[in-house]
Amino acid sequence: GAVVSQHPSWVICKSGTSVKIECRSLDFQATTMFWYRQFPKQSLMLMATSNEGSKATYEQGVEKDKFLINHASLTLSTLTVTSAHPEDSSFYICSARALAGVLNEQFFGPGTRLTVL
Amino acid sequence: RKEVEQDPGPFNVPEGATVAFNCTYSNSASQSFFWYRQDCRKEPKLLMSVYSSGNEDGRFTAQLNRASQYISLLIRDSKLSDSATYLCAWASSARQLTFGSGTQLTVLP
């Protein structure tokens, strides 16, 4: 199956710093990548949809100036959490949808666990 | 009302038991339905898609009832390795996934 990687797998940072998370599709081209956030014992909540070469579409309640998304190529999308605060601590997961392939199938990255002190 | 409602469990069942999960959805625009499995601190993995005609994959059977707006997952002959959180999800025409909150299953020896 298709492989999606995320880096870093976990990060601890001080409040006020910015953190960049990378999501890569390793063996396929992804027209669309999705960013999710999951708090403990809760479901995955879609934060934004990212299409290569265009601006991301953010879900209601997600601040686009705080969660910067860049999708510069068909294999890489980045999420930058700017001026992170403890309430941003969460599990961030990306997924990618292939240019060709099974309709609606998304391949998930292994996630990035962010802890803001 | 949440778009997707799932019984959070936990479900604790003995090995070999049959267990069923349900999930209701409120958006009639939902087009495609899925069951995912998520292990602790891991990403979700697609278990199976769900079709109106029902589909089976080994010990797993999924069903969709559009009239009543729910999907179900049946696991027969539970194994210890089935212990996980099971998430239902639906996709819109824009192909964005909306997840339920997950049902935790623990299969006991």
Side-chain angles (χ1 to χ4, degrees):
Chain A
V3 180
V4 176
S5 71
Q6 267 185 255
H7 177 81
S9 54
W10 59 270
V11 58
I12 301 173
C13 70
K14 291 183 180 178
S15 189
T17 59
S18 293
V19 174
K20 181 189 280 189
I21 302 169
E22 291 185 350
C23 178
R24 292 181 188 272
S25 55
L26 297 185
D27 51 0
F28 67 100
Q29 291 185 321
T31 47
T32 305
M33 288 185 171
F34 303 90
W35 286 96
Y36 296 85
R37 180 168 53 182
Q38 186 176 32
F39 292 106
K41 297 196 181 294
Q42 295 186 27
S43 189
L44 283 80
M45 296 301 294
L46 180 66
M47 298 175 68
T49 301
S50 168
N51 291 299
E52 185 265 338
S54 63
K55 288 183 180 180
T57 303
Y58 290 82
E59 295 300 300
Q60 194 172 11
V62 179
E63 299 173 57
K64 63 180 183 185
D65 294 329
K66 180 170 180 63
F67 298 99
L68 301 178
I69 291 173
N70 184 284
H71 193 159
S73 76
L74 284 172
T75 59
L76 173 64
S77 176
T78 61
L79 167 69
T80 301
V81 183
T82 62
S83 187
H85 288 97
E87 58 266 28
D88 298 322
S89 299
S90 187
F91 190 43
Y92 292 86
I93 308 175
C94 72
S95 70
R97 192 172 69 224
L99 191 62
V102 177
L103 186 68
N104 288 330
E105 187 167 11
Q106 293 182 25
F107 301 98
F108 285 84
T112 297
R113 193 161 298 281
L114 170 64
T115 301
V116 184
L117 302 176
Chain B
R1 185 183 170 188
K2 290 182 183 176
E3 287 196 62
V4 184
E5 297 268 8
Q6 244 187 295
D7 182 345
F11 283 66
N12 297 318
V13 302
E15 258 187 301
T18 296
V19 62
F21 307 134
N22 286 327
C23 194
T24 58
Y25 61 95
S26 58
N27 192 328
S28 57
S30 309
Q31 292 215 342
S32 306
F33 301 86
F34 309 90
W35 280 103
Y36 281 82
R37 170 197 169 124
Q38 186 175 26
D39 292 291
C40 190
R41 294 176 172 264
K42 301 282 189 181
E43 78 275 21
K45 292 190 186 297
L46 180 64
L47 186 62
M48 55 201 305
S49 302
V50 189
Y51 306 112
S52 296
S53 55
N55 48 307
E56 190 173 309
D57 182 4
R59 298 181 291 109
F60 298 84
T61 301
Q63 205 91 49
L64 163 64
N65 185 317
R66 284 195 184 270
S68 303
Q69 294 190 205
Y70 78 84
I71 63 172
S72 62
L73 177 69
L74 183 77
I75 305 175
R76 290 181 299 278
D77 190 23
S78 301
K79 310 288 184 194
L80 295 177
S81 57
D82 294 332
S83 298
T85 296
Y86 291 83
L87 302 161
C88 60
W90 65 266
S92 65
S93 57
R95 303 177 188 178
Q96 293 174 333
L97 283 172
T98 299
F99 286 90
S101 54
T103 299
Q104 187 180 338
L105 171 67
T106 301
V107 181
L108 304 168

